[in-house]
Amino acid sequence: MDCLLGRDPSEVGYHTWDVIENRLSLDRVCAAMCGVPEAEGAEGIPIEAFLMKIDLANRERVAKAIHDSLLYGNFYQEEYPVEYEPGLFRLVRVGGRLIYDRDGVPLRGIGWMVDVSPEKILGEGVTRQ
């Protein structure tokens, strides 16, 4: 995962998704990035609640990527804005994969999340000069 190289480990958030129970559990870093209270993130939220955090323009694309990952077992990596406070967004890069049982039923997703807003802002500033 090249996007994680050189990152301070405290900047990388991790999540798990119990597909059967439909509970997406977020560590404190992911929860903070998404504006979810830490205790609520640890307990787990439905994937639909997480999708509602994604800005409307990207929500359908991300939902399809998650769906395709469920169906085909491909590695998931997407970048999109999430609302962490009403009307305030940060750009995150998220990646992960699913674990399946012997019959091919998806059981659990595991993944990571990083805030790439600063890199995008710096990148845009450099290209505009």
Side-chain angles (χ1 to χ4, degrees):
M1 291 183 252
D2 62 336
C3 66
L4 300 178
L5 292 177
R7 292 244 180 222
D8 182 321
S10 68
E11 297 175 351
V12 180
Y14 295 93
H15 57 84
T16 62
W17 179 26
D18 182 330
V19 178
I20 305 301
E21 296 294 324
N22 192 26
R23 302 306 289 177
L24 180 68
S25 297
L26 309 170
D27 74 354
R28 66 176 180 74
V29 176
C30 277
M33 278 188 239
C34 299
V36 173
E38 187 175 340
E40 188 178 332
E43 185 177 305
I45 61 173
I47 191 76
E48 295 83 4
F50 176 76
L51 288 171
M52 294 306 293
K53 292 283 193 178
I54 299 170
D55 78 312
L56 189 56
N58 289 278
R59 195 175 298 152
E60 187 175 328
R61 173 182 60 81
V62 173
K64 182 181 180 336
I66 292 168
H67 180 259
D68 288 351
S69 186
L70 280 168
L71 287 179
Y72 308 116
N74 52 319
F75 180 76
Y76 167 89
Q77 185 168 312
E78 294 291 328
E79 193 172 284
Y80 46 82
V82 294
E83 188 172 33
Y84 64 95
E85 287 185 26
L88 297 176
F89 290 82
R90 65 173 38 104
L91 188 63
V92 296
R93 185 172 299 138
V94 182
R97 77 175 59 241
L98 290 149
I99 298 170
Y100 298 81
D101 70 11
R102 68 179 71 182
D103 297 321
V105 175
L107 299 175
R108 180 164 302 278
I110 54 173
W112 50 266
M113 177 184 291
V114 294
D115 181 354
V116 295
S117 302
E119 289 93 337
K120 291 296 180 177
I121 291 168
L122 287 173
E124 288 176 9
V126 169
T127 58
R128 289 184 187 162
Q129 293 178 351

